[in-house]
Amino acid sequence: MPSPLSSVGALLSLTAIAAAQSVPTEVQMPGTQPGQVTGTNTSEFCNNCHGNYSVQVEPWRNWLGSAMAHATRDPLFWAATAVAEQDFPGAADLCLRCHTPLGWLGGRSTPTDGSALVPDDFDGVSCHFCHRLTDPDRSEHLGVQTAPFVANDGGSPAEAYLGSAMYVAWAGNHRLGPYANASSPHASLQSQFHRSSDLCGTCHDVSNPVVGDLAHNHGAMAPLAAGTFSGVPGSPVDGKAAFNNFPFQYGIVERTFSEHRSTPLSDTRVSAYATLPADLQAGSIARAHADALLSTPTGDYADGTPRTFTCQTCHMSPTQGMGAGQSQAPVRADLPHHDLTGGNDWVSDAIQWLDGQGRLVGGGGLTATKLTAMDVGEQRARSNLANAASLRVEGDTVVVTNLTGHKLLSGYPDGRRMWLRVRWFDAQDALVREDGGYGPLAVQHNGQARVVQTLLDLHDVHGKVYEAEFGLTREWAQQLLALGYPPSLALAYDRTTGQPSTTLGQLGAAGPGATAATFHFALANTPLSDNRIPPWRMNHDEALARNVLPVPADQYGDPGPGGEYEHFDRVALDPPAGAERAELELLYQATSWEYVQFLALANDGSVTHLASVGQDLLDAWSATGMAAPRLMATASWQAPVPQRYCTAKVNSRGCIPQMTWSGTPSASGATPFTIGASDVLNRRPGLLFYGTNGAAAAPFQGGWRCVATPLARTPTQDSGGTATGTDCSGTYAYDFAARILSGNDPSLVSGRQVWAQFWTRDPQASFTTGLTDALTFVIRP
């Protein structure tokens, strides 16, 4: 099979090489380069002082249970890395930069399959690495960055390139952190960068420099300026897109930091919490506020620095205690809790299972302390999920509110999804229908029958799934084919048969404007859809510049240029016939069957060091609950009950006529619905009038007309009752279900609210008429 970049000549045939021995210029990026700083220690060096003295607050133990600590062991990372390396030899260097910074800075990231890594390199995103990071804009401490690998725009003042692990590291022995009064056996420097979300943006905004430079659209929502990219494979780095643009401008992979920067929440002081909308004063935002107030009366930092709703405020909330175990260490009111927790509560189970099987990349180092810390970290992740959103039912609408400072959901998009599961029950509590059902699906995998747990209907017309889907454009497919990529390259697989459902050749031969969904993140160059819920007041223009707009962009209020998106979603419920109540659940799944299937099938074994990692991931996923969805929020729905309103006219016998009803108003006729009136004069004609334009309280014939015009009238009927004399024994009854089913009134459809009232003849009353109170109801399906 020819090399995908045979025209470059620098990369060998995929059949002849396990992984790239050097990093192509398409993948190289600014920042400190391998070998330019030395002596980055593992966390084992740090725990002598920062661990083993207070499990609840010590930095080391809490970090140890985080996904960051195990970033180099993460089996999903390795499975995705293997496919990326197949797709573009050397592309895995982008992955290794963030997932093993010790190995990357140490020059052991080539070959780019990770085969040269040593045990210490599996220490994840370690303590010393983070505490030697400097701001790439050179505004504070000057880390190592040499031309052309300068991670800022060169302006005055310079603006940093924040993302894709374009980190700039301090060359000295100092540890950089937020305090000016640190007392330690090692040298230290105060760093404002460590209190800024910008530091987190280093790895939590990821852009693909390959498509950024080579793809016709640069993998972006807005085109790059001419002269800021090369477009020529193998050309020098200083002409590449990654060296001439901010990382958020091209090659969308994940954009958590940019999502955060597109909302004013990132600059809102914690002390201004009461000014936030009432629906935002809950969940993770409320928790961050409460934790901050425990540190200082205003929620600011103890040294007076204003605290805003940064990444650190939510994901490293202030706690009270010592940052080190030495007696001279001060007790701090605002010690950052180094739990660094997101929402992935499954990956630690997969790591532990593979380690027990002897199949974990970089395995064998999980001590009892690490295992315990991972289990605690898993519980923290579940707590995060339970605080990330709220559900509120309003009639036949459920409102899903984002209670985070980024999109809901956020992070690496492939395989992650959130959805509404709605279970409808009838009056006998029998299940009528389930929307967003999750359960067993019979599939074939490599010729073997198996049963997996997944969303049962990916295109449920009644369901609502939140996710981002990426793909390839026809034009990019044609570019790749011209570069030597095989037409048979499977872009996606059928989730039940495992057979390729779309190939690169098919997309390249498709009509203009064609796209195809794929999990090939190293090749994907366009977002096909993204309905994840924006954060509070996400600015349209900033979101466009940072490539975080919803797709299509007219969702969540469609604010347009200069506007701001809504931070909630209003989902119309569709109750089935006979439903009397419903249970609603908002669920989150960290890794889907469809994604682990892809990573197993797409791994062709050509990257020999990682030939088994796709199947390893699938086996771990299967053995540990299949990344079972986690409950984020709940709500309930009740079928609306007809309600009486307005004031009846007292009739000539002193009685107050009243509306009555029985049954359920239904467009399907599943149940009868009779509207009646009691306490009316006997043997008198009357009729029901109704409308669909709202209630009213208009003076009418000595009483009140309670229905807004225009009005519809039913035929007259006799009230019956006592055969002689005059009393209040009369009643009316009208089968409104029959009127709905007749089709004579096209306005009477499912979901329509109706207001109704009876008029009756009363010869002794003013205007010789009587009026009941009124009834309003909603027509059910």
Side-chain angles (χ1 to χ4, degrees):
M1 183 171 64
S3 165
L5 286 180
S6 55
S7 61
V8 179
L11 300 177
L12 303 179
S13 168
L14 288 179
T15 58
I17 191 167
Q21 302 296 316
S22 62
V23 181
T25 56
E26 284 73 31
V27 184
Q28 295 179 44
M29 290 186 293
T32 304
Q33 297 299 296
Q36 289 188 329
V37 297
T38 60
T40 304
N41 296 308
T42 70
S43 61
E44 293 300 321
F45 183 88
C46 305
N47 75 349
N48 291 324
C49 294
H50 299 285
N52 300 310
Y53 66 91
S54 177
V55 172
Q56 296 301 317
V57 303
E58 64 183 46
W60 178 74
R61 186 72 59 95
N62 289 288
W63 166 85
L64 192 62
S66 71
M68 293 180 72
H70 302 281
T72 325
R73 299 185 179 97
D74 182 350
L76 189 145
F77 152 70
W78 285 113
T81 295
V83 177
E85 189 65 15
Q86 290 173 189
D87 289 343
F88 194 97
D93 184 75
L94 171 66
C95 313
L96 296 173
R97 291 176 77 115
C98 265
H99 281 261
T100 176
L102 272 68
W104 194 85
L105 286 172
R108 296 178 292 278
S109 58
T110 51
T112 50
D113 61 359
S115 56
L117 298 178
V118 299
D120 282 356
D121 296 335
F122 289 85
D123 202 39
V125 185
S126 61
C127 319
H128 193 190
F129 167 72
C130 278
H131 286 280
R132 69 187 307 179
L133 292 181
T134 65
D135 195 328
D137 69 1
R138 293 175 166 162
S139 61
E140 196 173 19
H141 306 295
L142 301 183
V144 178
Q145 48 181 334
T146 56
F149 297 95
V150 177
N152 62 61
D153 67 350
S156 182
E159 188 171 347
Y161 289 172
L162 300 169
S164 300
M166 298 188 194
Y167 39 73
V168 174
W170 179 250
N173 292 323
H174 305 80
R175 308 300 191 267
L176 279 62
Y179 296 113
N181 61 340
S183 175
S184 62
H186 53 69
S188 60
L189 292 170
Q190 185 180 25
S191 165
Q192 298 301 323
F193 189 51
H194 283 72
R195 281 181 174 167
S196 169
S197 294
D198 291 357
L199 182 144
C200 306
T202 302
C203 280
H204 291 281
D205 243 34
V206 181
S207 300
N208 182 345
V210 176
V211 300
D213 192 69
L214 299 181
H216 69 101
N217 67 341
H218 313 291
M221 294 177 174
L224 297 182
T228 65
F229 59 92
S230 163
V232 178
S235 60
V237 294
D238 57 2
K240 293 295 185 182
F243 286 75
N244 296 282
N245 297 275
F246 295 104
F248 54 72
Q249 291 181 273
Y250 58 84
I252 309 165
V253 178
E254 59 181 276
R255 287 286 185 276
T256 300
F257 172 68
S258 283
E259 294 160 12
H260 179 61
R261 278 301 186 205
S262 69
T263 165
L265 194 65
S266 63
D267 295 315
T268 299
R269 287 182 70 165
V270 171
S271 59
Y273 172 79
T275 67
L276 295 174
D279 63 344
L280 273 184
Q281 296 181 35
S284 61
I285 296 173
R287 184 172 63 178
H289 173 251
D291 288 344
L293 290 185
L294 291 175
S295 64
T296 65
T298 63
D300 290 333
Y301 291 99
D303 61 8
T305 302
R307 180 191 291 275
T308 64
F309 285 100
T310 60
C311 308
Q312 291 90 332
T313 295
C314 285
H315 296 280
M316 298 182 70
S317 59
T319 188
Q320 293 73 50
M322 299 189 303
Q326 280 66 30
S327 59
Q328 69 270 24
V331 176
R332 299 192 184 276
D334 59 353
L335 178 70
H337 195 247
H338 282 60
D339 67 276
L340 306 160
T341 305
N344 190 341
D345 73 331
W346 166 76
V347 70
S348 61
D349 290 340
I351 290 172
Q352 293 183 43
W353 186 85
L354 285 169
D355 190 57
Q357 299 290 312
R359 297 165 62 183
L360 181 68
V361 177
L366 298 183
T367 64
T369 299
K370 288 180 180 178
L371 293 173
T372 299
M374 291 169 75
D375 291 343
V376 173
E378 185 174 295
Q379 295 305 312
R380 293 198 302 260
R382 294 181 186 178
S383 176
N384 266 15
L385 291 173
N387 281 277
S390 67
L391 294 183
R392 183 178 75 255
V393 172
E394 298 176 350
D396 283 351
T397 299
V398 58
V399 182
V400 187
T401 302
N402 180 357
L403 299 178
T404 75
H406 43 66
K407 283 184 180 179
L408 182 71
L409 58 170
S410 188
Y412 183 69
D414 290 347
R416 293 184 180 181
R417 57 194 178 196
M418 180 179 77
W419 72 94
L420 282 169
R421 179 166 66 185
V422 185
R423 286 176 282 192
W424 304 94
F425 299 91
D426 64 15
Q428 288 71 46
D429 228 24
L431 183 66
V432 178
R433 192 182 76 209
E434 182 175 9
D435 305 337
Y438 179 89
L441 178 71
V443 302
Q444 291 282 326
H445 182 73
N446 288 332
Q448 299 293 317
R450 63 195 302 165
V451 176
V452 299
Q453 299 287 321
T454 187
L455 266 172
L456 296 176
D457 186 351
L458 297 180
H459 309 288
D460 187 349
V461 295
H462 302 293
K464 184 61 181 278
V465 181
Y466 298 92
E467 60 187 345
E469 184 178 52
F470 289 79
L472 274 71
T473 60
R474 167 184 178 254
E475 293 81 0
W476 177 227
Q478 292 174 341
Q479 285 183 261
L480 293 172
L481 291 167
L483 288 170
Y485 280 74
S488 60
L489 177 66
L491 299 181
Y493 298 91
D494 183 275
R495 71 175 189 151
T496 56
T497 68
Q499 296 301 308
S501 56
T502 312
T503 65
L504 187 67
Q506 289 172 336
L507 177 59
T515 58
T518 190
F519 286 130
H520 285 278
F521 87 87
L523 299 179
N525 74 310
T526 187
L528 302 181
S529 63
D530 183 357
N531 67 346
R532 297 173 298 173
I533 304 174
W536 176 58
R537 294 179 57 195
M538 187 175 84
N539 180 270
H540 174 279
D541 299 349
E542 185 73 9
L544 173 61
R546 289 182 170 273
N547 287 285
V548 295
L549 285 175
V551 180
D554 61 358
Q555 301 176 76
Y556 300 108
D558 188 16
E564 295 176 339
Y565 283 95
E566 296 170 343
H567 61 280
F568 52 84
D569 189 23
R570 300 182 66 87
V571 182
L573 299 173
D574 186 15
E580 291 295 320
R581 69 177 187 89
E583 296 175 355
L584 289 77
E585 297 174 317
L586 185 66
L587 301 174
Y588 170 84
Q589 186 174 31
T591 307
S592 67
W593 153 247
E594 292 75 19
Y595 190 44
V596 295
Q597 175 204 40
F598 171 86
L599 293 176
L601 293 176
N603 189 320
D604 63 13
S606 61
V607 181
T608 54
H609 179 62
L610 301 176
S612 68
V613 293
Q615 188 62 43
D616 291 341
L617 173 70
L618 175 54
D619 291 347
W621 182 85
S622 300
T624 57
M626 301 186 182
R630 299 301 177 190
L631 182 64
M632 299 178 68
T634 63
S636 60
W637 172 92
Q638 292 287 336
V641 177
Q643 299 290 326
R644 292 170 51 198
Y645 70 98
C646 204
T647 302
K649 179 181 178 183
V650 179
N651 66 23
S652 60
R653 300 297 293 177
C655 300
I656 302 175
Q658 300 182 56
M659 296 288 284
T660 64
W661 78 91
S662 65
T664 302
S666 171
S668 66
T671 57
F673 181 57
T674 301
I675 302 176
S678 64
D679 297 317
V680 298
L681 295 183
N682 57 322
R683 297 181 293 111
R684 296 290 186 269
L687 60 82
L688 179 75
F689 61 88
Y690 68 90
T692 58
N693 202 37
F700 180 67
Q701 297 184 349
W704 300 96
R705 175 173 53 81
C706 304
V707 181
T709 57
L711 303 175
R713 294 169 176 82
T714 65
T716 60
Q717 57 179 286
D718 189 84
S719 63
T722 305
T724 60
T726 301
D727 59 22
C728 296
S729 62
T731 60
Y732 295 115
Y734 181 78
D735 183 3
F736 205 85
R739 190 172 189 87
I740 297 171
L741 292 174
S742 71
N744 292 333
D745 186 342
S747 71
L748 300 179
V749 295
S750 176
R752 183 63 53 84
Q753 188 170 2
V754 180
W755 292 261
Q757 185 177 14
F758 271 102
W759 170 93
T760 180
R761 179 66 65 191
D762 186 351
Q764 305 302 316
S766 59
F767 298 92
T768 70
T769 61
L771 292 164
T772 64
D773 58 357
L775 185 74
T776 183
F777 55 90
V778 176
I779 300 175
R780 310 310 310 152

